[in-house]
Amino acid sequence: MASERPLVEVNGTRYRWPRRPVVVVCIDGGDPAYIQQFLEEGVIPNIAKFMKEGFAVVAEGTVPSFTCPNNMSMITGTPASKHGISGNYYLDVKTGEAIVMTGPELLRGDTILKKFADAGAKVVSITAKDKLRKQLGKGLDLSKGNISFSSEKADKCTMAENGIENVLELVGQPLPDMYSEALSLFVLDAGIKLLEKERRDLMFLSLTDYVQHKYAPTEGEARRFYQELDKRFGRLAELGAVVALTADHGMNDKSNAQGKPNVIWLQDILDAKFGKGDTRVICPITDAFVAHHGALGGFVRVWCTGKATPAQVMDAIRGVPGIESVLDKRQACAVHDLPEDREADVVVISTHDVCIGGAEQDHDLSGLEGHRLRTHGGVSEAKVPFILSAPVNDEYKLKGGAGILKSYRIFEFAINGAAA
Ligand SMILES: [Zn+2]
Protein backbone atom coordinates (compact mmCIF):
# COMPACT_ATOMS: atom_id res chain seq x y z
CA MET A 1 0.00 0.00 0.00
CA ALA A 2 1.15 3.49 -0.82
CA SER A 3 0.77 4.64 2.76
CA GLU A 4 3.19 2.00 3.98
CA ARG A 5 6.10 3.34 1.99
CA PRO A 6 8.92 4.80 4.11
CA LEU A 7 8.85 8.40 5.24
CA VAL A 8 10.75 10.87 3.10
CA GLU A 9 12.92 13.18 5.15
CA VAL A 10 13.76 16.59 3.72
CA ASN A 11 15.80 19.16 5.65
CA GLY A 12 14.73 17.69 8.99
CA THR A 13 11.00 17.33 8.28
CA ARG A 14 9.47 13.90 7.69
CA TYR A 15 6.86 13.53 4.99
CA ARG A 16 4.48 10.59 4.58
CA TRP A 17 3.76 9.12 1.21
CA PRO A 18 0.74 10.91 -0.33
CA ARG A 19 -2.16 8.64 -1.28
CA ARG A 20 -3.51 11.34 -3.60
CA PRO A 21 -1.68 13.78 -5.88
CA VAL A 22 -0.70 16.98 -4.05
CA VAL A 23 -0.69 20.21 -6.06
CA VAL A 24 0.76 23.25 -4.30
CA VAL A 25 0.03 26.54 -6.06
CA CYS A 26 1.94 29.71 -5.24
CA ILE A 27 -0.36 32.56 -6.26
CA ASP A 28 2.37 35.15 -6.72
CA GLY A 29 1.34 38.40 -5.03
CA GLY A 30 -1.88 36.74 -3.86
CA ASP A 31 -2.65 39.02 -0.95
CA PRO A 32 -5.45 37.69 1.30
CA ALA A 33 -7.41 40.83 0.40
CA TYR A 34 -8.13 39.46 -3.09
CA ILE A 35 -9.64 36.26 -1.79
CA GLN A 36 -11.59 38.19 0.85
CA GLN A 37 -13.01 40.53 -1.79
CA PHE A 38 -14.01 37.79 -4.23
CA LEU A 39 -15.46 35.57 -1.52
CA GLU A 40 -17.71 38.47 -0.58
CA GLU A 41 -18.67 38.89 -4.22
CA GLY A 42 -19.34 35.15 -4.49
CA VAL A 43 -17.28 34.77 -7.67
CA ILE A 44 -14.72 32.13 -6.59
CA PRO A 45 -16.91 29.11 -5.76
CA ASN A 46 -14.11 26.53 -5.74
CA ILE A 47 -11.91 28.44 -3.34
CA ALA A 48 -14.98 29.07 -1.19
CA LYS A 49 -15.66 25.32 -1.14
CA PHE A 50 -12.05 24.52 -0.22
CA MET A 51 -12.20 26.98 2.68
CA LYS A 52 -15.45 25.52 3.93
CA GLU A 53 -14.67 21.83 3.54
CA GLY A 54 -10.87 21.80 3.74
CA PHE A 55 -8.52 23.97 5.73
CA ALA A 56 -7.96 27.72 5.64
CA VAL A 57 -5.93 30.22 7.64
CA VAL A 58 -3.97 33.37 6.94
CA ALA A 59 -0.33 32.34 7.32
CA GLU A 60 2.92 34.21 7.63
CA GLY A 61 5.38 34.20 4.77
CA THR A 62 9.12 34.74 4.76
CA VAL A 63 10.37 38.33 5.22
CA PRO A 64 11.58 39.93 2.98
CA SER A 65 8.24 39.29 1.33
CA PHE A 66 9.70 38.77 -2.12
CA THR A 67 9.26 36.08 -4.73
CA CYS A 68 12.54 34.13 -4.61
CA PRO A 69 12.86 33.74 -0.82
CA ASN A 70 9.28 32.55 -0.45
CA ASN A 71 9.32 30.14 -3.36
CA MET A 72 12.46 28.60 -1.89
CA SER A 73 10.88 28.44 1.56
CA MET A 74 7.95 26.48 0.13
CA ILE A 75 9.98 24.12 -2.02
CA THR A 76 12.42 23.28 0.80
CA GLY A 77 9.99 23.51 3.74
CA THR A 78 12.45 25.73 5.62
CA PRO A 79 12.97 29.40 6.59
CA ALA A 80 15.50 31.56 4.72
CA SER A 81 18.07 31.06 7.51
CA LYS A 82 18.31 27.46 6.31
CA HIS A 83 17.84 27.71 2.54
CA GLY A 84 19.93 30.87 2.18
CA ILE A 85 17.85 32.72 -0.42
CA SER A 86 17.07 35.90 1.49
CA GLY A 87 16.30 38.18 -1.42
CA ASN A 88 16.31 38.38 -5.18
CA TYR A 89 19.70 40.13 -4.87
CA TYR A 90 22.56 40.41 -2.41
CA LEU A 91 25.82 42.34 -2.36
CA ASP A 92 29.08 40.48 -2.81
CA VAL A 93 31.18 42.53 -0.39
CA LYS A 94 34.45 41.33 -1.95
CA THR A 95 33.66 42.54 -5.46
CA GLY A 96 31.06 45.21 -4.66
CA GLU A 97 28.73 43.59 -7.16
CA ALA A 98 25.02 42.92 -6.67
CA ILE A 99 24.51 39.19 -7.24
CA VAL A 100 21.21 37.81 -8.44
CA MET A 101 20.21 34.96 -6.12
CA THR A 102 18.64 32.59 -8.63
CA GLY A 103 21.56 30.17 -9.01
CA PRO A 104 20.88 26.64 -7.71
CA GLU A 105 24.35 26.66 -6.11
CA LEU A 106 23.14 29.39 -3.74
CA LEU A 107 20.21 27.29 -2.51
CA ARG A 108 21.08 25.31 0.62
CA GLY A 109 19.55 21.95 1.39
CA ASP A 110 17.34 19.80 -0.81
CA THR A 111 13.98 20.49 -2.34
CA ILE A 112 10.98 18.41 -1.33
CA LEU A 113 10.45 17.51 -4.99
CA LYS A 114 14.00 16.18 -5.38
CA LYS A 115 13.83 13.93 -2.33
CA PHE A 116 10.45 12.53 -3.29
CA ALA A 117 11.65 11.94 -6.85
CA ASP A 118 14.69 10.10 -5.48
CA ALA A 119 12.30 7.92 -3.47
CA GLY A 120 10.38 7.03 -6.63
CA ALA A 121 7.63 9.65 -6.78
CA LYS A 122 6.61 11.40 -10.01
CA VAL A 123 7.04 15.15 -9.51
CA VAL A 124 6.40 18.29 -11.54
CA SER A 125 7.54 21.88 -11.12
CA ILE A 126 6.15 24.61 -13.38
CA THR A 127 6.90 28.28 -12.87
CA ALA A 128 5.69 31.30 -14.79
CA LYS A 129 9.03 33.12 -14.94
CA ASP A 130 12.11 31.18 -15.92
CA LYS A 131 14.25 32.88 -13.25
CA LEU A 132 12.91 30.47 -10.59
CA ARG A 133 13.16 27.30 -12.63
CA LYS A 134 16.71 26.20 -11.85
CA GLN A 135 16.38 26.53 -8.09
CA LEU A 136 12.98 24.81 -8.04
CA GLY A 137 14.46 21.99 -10.12
CA LYS A 138 17.69 21.75 -8.13
CA GLY A 139 19.06 18.20 -8.10
CA LEU A 140 15.93 16.83 -9.77
CA ASP A 141 16.51 13.73 -11.90
CA LEU A 142 14.71 14.62 -15.14
CA SER A 143 15.44 11.30 -16.82
CA LYS A 144 12.76 9.37 -14.91
CA GLY A 145 9.59 11.15 -15.94
CA ASN A 146 9.99 14.13 -13.63
CA ILE A 147 9.38 17.56 -15.12
CA SER A 148 10.59 21.11 -14.53
CA PHE A 149 9.91 24.04 -16.86
CA SER A 150 8.64 27.63 -17.08
CA SER A 151 5.77 28.99 -19.15
CA GLU A 152 8.08 31.85 -20.19
CA LYS A 153 10.26 29.34 -22.07
CA ALA A 154 7.64 26.68 -22.76
CA ASP A 155 8.56 26.73 -26.45
CA LYS A 156 12.16 25.73 -25.74
CA CYS A 157 11.70 22.67 -23.51
CA THR A 158 13.92 19.66 -24.07
CA MET A 159 13.94 16.24 -22.47
CA ALA A 160 17.48 16.81 -21.18
CA GLU A 161 16.84 20.21 -19.61
CA ASN A 162 13.14 19.96 -18.63
CA GLY A 163 12.09 16.30 -18.78
CA ILE A 164 9.41 17.25 -21.34
CA GLU A 165 9.14 18.63 -24.86
CA ASN A 166 6.40 19.98 -27.15
CA VAL A 167 4.74 21.78 -24.24
CA LEU A 168 2.80 24.21 -26.46
CA GLU A 169 1.21 21.26 -28.25
CA LEU A 170 0.41 19.57 -24.94
CA VAL A 171 -1.30 22.67 -23.56
CA GLY A 172 -2.79 23.63 -26.93
CA GLN A 173 -1.93 27.30 -26.50
CA PRO A 174 0.60 29.72 -28.01
CA LEU A 175 3.53 30.92 -25.92
CA PRO A 176 2.10 33.47 -23.44
CA ASP A 177 3.43 37.01 -23.20
CA MET A 178 5.96 37.65 -20.43
CA TYR A 179 3.78 40.47 -19.07
CA SER A 180 0.34 38.98 -19.00
CA GLU A 181 -2.07 37.04 -16.85
CA ALA A 182 -1.80 34.32 -19.50
CA LEU A 183 1.70 33.50 -18.24
CA SER A 184 0.14 32.33 -14.94
CA LEU A 185 -2.88 30.60 -16.47
CA PHE A 186 -0.55 28.64 -18.75
CA VAL A 187 1.19 27.20 -15.67
CA LEU A 188 -2.13 25.90 -14.34
CA ASP A 189 -3.34 24.64 -17.72
CA ALA A 190 -0.10 22.72 -18.20
CA GLY A 191 -0.44 21.21 -14.72
CA ILE A 192 -4.01 20.13 -15.50
CA LYS A 193 -2.97 18.51 -18.81
CA LEU A 194 -0.18 16.59 -17.10
CA LEU A 195 -2.47 15.38 -14.34
CA GLU A 196 -5.11 14.33 -16.89
CA LYS A 197 -2.52 12.23 -18.72
CA GLU A 198 -1.10 10.26 -15.80
CA ARG A 199 -0.74 10.15 -12.06
CA ARG A 200 1.66 12.65 -10.51
CA ASP A 201 2.47 12.53 -6.82
CA LEU A 202 3.63 16.09 -6.22
CA MET A 203 3.29 19.26 -8.25
CA PHE A 204 4.47 22.78 -7.54
CA LEU A 205 2.85 25.44 -9.71
CA SER A 206 4.22 28.95 -9.25
CA LEU A 207 2.46 31.90 -10.88
CA THR A 208 3.47 35.54 -11.49
CA ASP A 209 2.22 38.69 -9.77
CA TYR A 210 1.67 40.75 -12.94
CA VAL A 211 -2.06 41.21 -12.20
CA GLN A 212 -1.68 42.01 -8.47
CA HIS A 213 1.02 44.64 -9.11
CA LYS A 214 -1.34 46.34 -11.54
CA TYR A 215 -4.82 45.90 -10.12
CA ALA A 216 -6.37 46.31 -6.68
CA PRO A 217 -8.87 43.72 -5.42
CA THR A 218 -11.73 46.05 -6.37
CA GLU A 219 -10.79 46.19 -10.05
CA GLY A 220 -12.49 44.11 -12.73
CA GLU A 221 -9.21 42.81 -14.18
CA ALA A 222 -8.28 41.29 -10.81
CA ARG A 223 -11.74 39.72 -10.46
CA ARG A 224 -11.54 38.16 -13.93
CA PHE A 225 -8.09 36.75 -13.16
CA TYR A 226 -9.26 35.16 -9.91
CA GLN A 227 -12.29 33.69 -11.63
CA GLU A 228 -9.95 32.08 -14.18
CA LEU A 229 -7.73 30.79 -11.36
CA ASP A 230 -10.72 29.47 -9.48
CA LYS A 231 -11.97 27.42 -12.43
CA ARG A 232 -8.57 25.76 -12.75
CA PHE A 233 -8.29 25.06 -9.02
CA GLY A 234 -11.67 23.37 -9.29
CA ARG A 235 -10.48 21.21 -12.17
CA LEU A 236 -7.35 20.13 -10.25
CA ALA A 237 -9.51 19.07 -7.30
CA GLU A 238 -11.88 17.25 -9.67
CA LEU A 239 -8.88 15.26 -10.92
CA GLY A 240 -8.42 13.93 -7.40
CA ALA A 241 -5.64 16.20 -6.18
CA VAL A 242 -5.29 17.84 -2.79
CA VAL A 243 -5.00 21.45 -3.94
CA ALA A 244 -2.97 23.68 -1.64
CA LEU A 245 -3.09 27.43 -2.24
CA THR A 246 -0.74 30.00 -0.81
CA ALA A 247 1.19 33.07 -1.93
CA ASP A 248 4.80 34.18 -1.85
CA HIS A 249 3.76 37.60 -0.60
CA GLY A 250 0.87 40.03 -0.43
CA MET A 251 0.61 43.41 -2.10
CA ASN A 252 -0.07 46.96 -0.93
CA ASP A 253 -0.90 50.24 -2.60
CA LYS A 254 2.01 52.61 -1.96
CA SER A 255 0.83 55.74 -3.75
CA ASN A 256 -0.38 59.06 -2.40
CA ALA A 257 -3.66 60.88 -3.05
CA GLN A 258 -2.24 62.25 -6.33
CA GLY A 259 -1.43 58.71 -7.49
CA LYS A 260 2.34 59.23 -7.17
CA PRO A 261 4.43 56.63 -5.31
CA ASN A 262 5.34 57.32 -1.67
CA VAL A 263 9.07 56.69 -1.89
CA ILE A 264 11.89 57.08 0.60
CA TRP A 265 15.04 57.57 -1.51
CA LEU A 266 17.31 56.03 1.07
CA GLN A 267 20.61 56.21 -0.81
CA ASP A 268 20.07 59.94 -1.36
CA ILE A 269 19.38 60.44 2.36
CA LEU A 270 22.49 58.50 3.37
CA ASP A 271 24.69 60.18 0.73
CA ALA A 272 23.59 63.60 1.98
CA LYS A 273 24.49 62.64 5.53
CA PHE A 274 27.69 60.58 5.08
CA GLY A 275 28.91 61.43 1.58
CA LYS A 276 28.75 59.45 -1.65
CA GLY A 277 30.21 55.95 -1.57
CA ASP A 278 30.10 55.58 2.20
CA THR A 279 27.06 53.30 2.21
CA ARG A 280 25.47 51.02 -0.35
CA VAL A 281 21.70 50.52 -0.50
CA ILE A 282 20.57 47.33 -2.25
CA CYS A 283 16.92 46.86 -3.18
CA PRO A 284 16.54 43.08 -3.16
CA ILE A 285 13.26 43.24 -5.10
CA THR A 286 15.18 44.26 -8.21
CA ASP A 287 15.12 41.91 -11.14
CA ALA A 288 15.50 42.20 -14.87
CA PHE A 289 11.79 42.84 -15.30
CA VAL A 290 10.93 45.86 -13.25
CA ALA A 291 8.46 47.76 -15.41
CA HIS A 292 5.53 47.12 -13.08
CA HIS A 293 7.14 48.12 -9.78
CA GLY A 294 10.08 50.39 -10.68
CA ALA A 295 12.35 48.20 -8.48
CA LEU A 296 10.67 49.68 -5.41
CA GLY A 297 9.73 47.52 -2.43
CA GLY A 298 9.20 47.64 1.30
CA PHE A 299 12.53 46.11 2.36
CA VAL A 300 16.08 47.25 1.60
CA ARG A 301 19.54 46.42 2.85
CA VAL A 302 22.37 48.85 3.64
CA TRP A 303 26.01 47.84 3.59
CA CYS A 304 28.46 50.15 5.36
CA THR A 305 31.35 50.37 2.93
CA GLY A 306 33.07 53.50 4.30
CA LYS A 307 33.43 55.37 7.57
CA ALA A 308 29.85 55.36 8.80
CA THR A 309 29.12 52.61 11.34
CA PRO A 310 25.89 50.60 11.34
CA ALA A 311 24.83 52.42 14.51
CA GLN A 312 25.28 55.81 12.84
CA VAL A 313 23.41 54.67 9.75
CA MET A 314 20.57 53.37 11.91
CA ASP A 315 20.38 56.68 13.77
CA ALA A 316 20.19 58.55 10.47
CA ILE A 317 17.28 56.42 9.23
CA ARG A 318 15.19 56.05 12.39
CA GLY A 319 13.39 59.37 12.28
CA VAL A 320 12.42 59.17 8.60
CA PRO A 321 8.61 59.12 8.21
CA GLY A 322 7.30 55.88 6.69
CA ILE A 323 9.97 53.66 8.23
CA GLU A 324 8.54 50.78 10.25
CA SER A 325 11.75 49.19 11.49
CA VAL A 326 15.53 49.60 11.31
CA LEU A 327 17.53 46.56 12.42
CA ASP A 328 21.20 45.71 12.55
CA LYS A 329 22.40 42.45 11.05
CA ARG A 330 22.03 40.38 14.19
CA GLN A 331 18.58 41.71 15.03
CA ALA A 332 17.35 41.25 11.44
CA CYS A 333 18.53 37.63 11.34
CA ALA A 334 17.00 36.88 14.74
CA VAL A 335 13.65 38.57 14.09
CA HIS A 336 13.16 37.41 10.49
CA ASP A 337 15.05 34.09 10.53
CA LEU A 338 17.60 35.13 7.88
CA PRO A 339 21.06 33.76 6.98
CA GLU A 340 23.74 35.94 8.60
CA ASP A 341 26.40 35.39 5.94
CA ARG A 342 24.20 37.01 3.31
CA GLU A 343 22.78 39.80 5.46
CA ALA A 344 23.65 43.49 5.26
CA ASP A 345 24.83 45.70 8.11
CA VAL A 346 21.43 47.36 8.36
CA VAL A 347 17.95 46.21 7.30
CA VAL A 348 15.24 48.82 6.67
CA ILE A 349 11.52 48.06 6.38
CA SER A 350 8.80 50.56 5.47
CA THR A 351 5.16 50.85 6.54
CA HIS A 352 2.33 49.41 4.43
CA ASP A 353 1.78 52.56 2.38
CA VAL A 354 5.41 53.55 1.74
CA CYS A 355 8.23 51.99 -0.25
CA ILE A 356 11.99 52.42 -0.19
CA GLY A 357 14.34 53.00 -3.12
CA GLY A 358 18.05 53.62 -3.52
CA ALA A 359 19.04 56.84 -5.35
CA GLU A 360 16.16 58.50 -7.18
CA GLN A 361 18.15 58.75 -10.43
CA ASP A 362 18.70 54.97 -10.55
CA HIS A 363 15.01 54.04 -10.61
CA ASP A 364 13.04 54.14 -13.83
CA LEU A 365 9.42 54.87 -12.94
CA SER A 366 8.24 55.37 -16.53
CA GLY A 367 6.62 51.91 -16.52
CA LEU A 368 4.29 53.10 -13.78
CA GLU A 369 2.71 55.89 -15.86
CA GLY A 370 -1.04 55.86 -15.37
CA HIS A 371 -0.92 53.26 -12.57
CA ARG A 372 -0.70 53.51 -8.81
CA LEU A 373 2.36 51.78 -7.38
CA ARG A 374 1.46 48.45 -5.79
CA THR A 375 4.37 46.53 -4.35
CA HIS A 376 5.65 44.37 -1.48
CA GLY A 377 8.71 43.32 0.52
CA GLY A 378 7.93 44.39 4.08
CA VAL A 379 6.27 42.77 7.07
CA SER A 380 2.95 44.31 6.00
CA GLU A 381 2.98 42.17 2.84
CA ALA A 382 4.02 38.92 4.54
CA LYS A 383 0.47 37.73 5.32
CA VAL A 384 -0.62 35.09 2.83
CA PRO A 385 -3.53 32.71 2.28
CA PHE A 386 -2.99 29.06 3.29
CA ILE A 387 -5.85 26.97 1.93
CA LEU A 388 -6.22 23.23 1.39
CA SER A 389 -9.01 21.67 -0.67
CA ALA A 390 -9.29 18.75 1.78
CA PRO A 391 -9.56 18.67 5.56
CA VAL A 392 -6.46 17.94 7.64
CA ASN A 393 -6.24 15.14 10.20
CA ASP A 394 -6.44 15.79 13.93
CA GLU A 395 -2.66 15.99 14.31
CA TYR A 396 -2.48 18.82 11.78
CA LYS A 397 -5.59 20.51 13.12
CA LEU A 398 -3.67 20.87 16.34
CA LYS A 399 -0.51 22.02 14.58
CA GLY A 400 -2.51 24.49 12.50
CA GLY A 401 -4.15 25.97 15.55
CA ALA A 402 -0.98 26.40 17.58
CA GLY A 403 0.17 29.96 16.96
CA ILE A 404 0.90 31.61 13.64
CA LEU A 405 1.36 29.15 10.81
CA LYS A 406 4.38 29.66 8.56
CA SER A 407 3.64 29.38 4.86
CA TYR A 408 6.79 27.32 4.22
CA ARG A 409 4.89 24.40 5.77
CA ILE A 410 2.40 24.22 2.90
CA PHE A 411 3.77 20.94 1.49
CA GLU A 412 3.92 19.43 4.98
CA PHE A 413 0.28 20.29 5.71
CA ALA A 414 -0.91 19.19 2.27
CA ILE A 415 1.00 15.91 2.33
CA ASN A 416 0.98 14.83 6.00
CA GLY A 417 -2.22 16.59 7.00
CA ALA A 418 -4.51 16.05 4.02
CA ALA A 419 -3.12 13.52 1.53
CA ALA A 420 -1.38 10.82 3.56
ZN1 LIG B 1 6.21 37.44 -6.10
Side-chain angles (χ1 to χ4, degrees), residues 28-29 67 209 248-249 376:
D28 198 316
T67 301
D209 55 12
D248 53 349
H249 52 78
H376 55 94

Side-chain angles (χ1 to χ4, degrees), residues 86-229:
S86 53
N88 299 357
Y89 268 87
Y90 78 106
L91 185 73
D92 183 334
V93 280
K94 286 193 203 93
T95 63
E97 264 182 87
I99 309 285
V100 62
M101 290 177 86
T102 53
E105 70 286 352
L106 294 171
L107 178 66
R108 294 166 180 158
D110 292 311
T111 74
I112 297 165
L113 295 186
K114 178 219 159 21
K115 296 288 270 191
F116 265 94
D118 288 351
K122 285 270 179 293
V123 307
V124 173
S125 159
I126 312 176
T127 163
K129 289 187 186 175
D130 201 65
K131 68 176 182 184
L132 287 172
R133 177 181 55 88
K134 287 195 172 148
Q135 282 181 342
L136 294 175
K138 184 189 168 190
L140 192 57
D141 183 349
L142 297 166
S143 71
K144 296 199 178 75
N146 300 306
I147 291 172
S148 172
F149 70 93
S150 68
S151 47
E152 179 187 347
K153 299 211 168 145
D155 59 335
K156 297 195 175 64
C157 290
T158 64
M159 291 308 291
E161 184 72 10
N162 310 99
I164 189 170
E165 52 195 9
N166 303 322
V167 172
L168 300 186
E169 286 80 351
L170 170 81
V171 182
Q173 292 173 22
L175 187 72
D177 189 89
M178 180 71 187
Y179 298 105
S180 69
E181 62 175 70
L183 198 73
S184 289
L185 300 180
F186 191 96
V187 171
L188 296 171
D189 287 335
I192 289 167
K193 289 283 181 191
L194 290 171
L195 204 57
E196 282 171 349
K197 266 177 66 178
E198 61 181 283
R199 183 186 159 101
R200 310 280 169 175
D201 298 293
L202 297 183
M203 286 184 138
F204 184 59
L205 306 178
S206 189
L207 313 183
T208 159
D209 55 12
Y210 169 82
V211 168
Q212 291 88 340
H213 269 292
K214 254 182 133 159
Y215 304 110
T218 49
E219 294 181 83
E221 289 86 346
R223 180 185 310 110
R224 272 197 293 283
F225 180 59
Y226 269 75
Q227 287 178 296
E228 291 298 323
L229 295 181

Side-chain angles (χ1 to χ4, degrees), residues 3 15-20 22 242 393 413-420:
S3 60
Y15 298 85
R16 294 169 199 143
W17 201 269
R19 288 172 194 262
R20 298 163 59 184
V22 167
V242 170
N393 55 33
F413 270 66
I415 295 172
N416 292 352

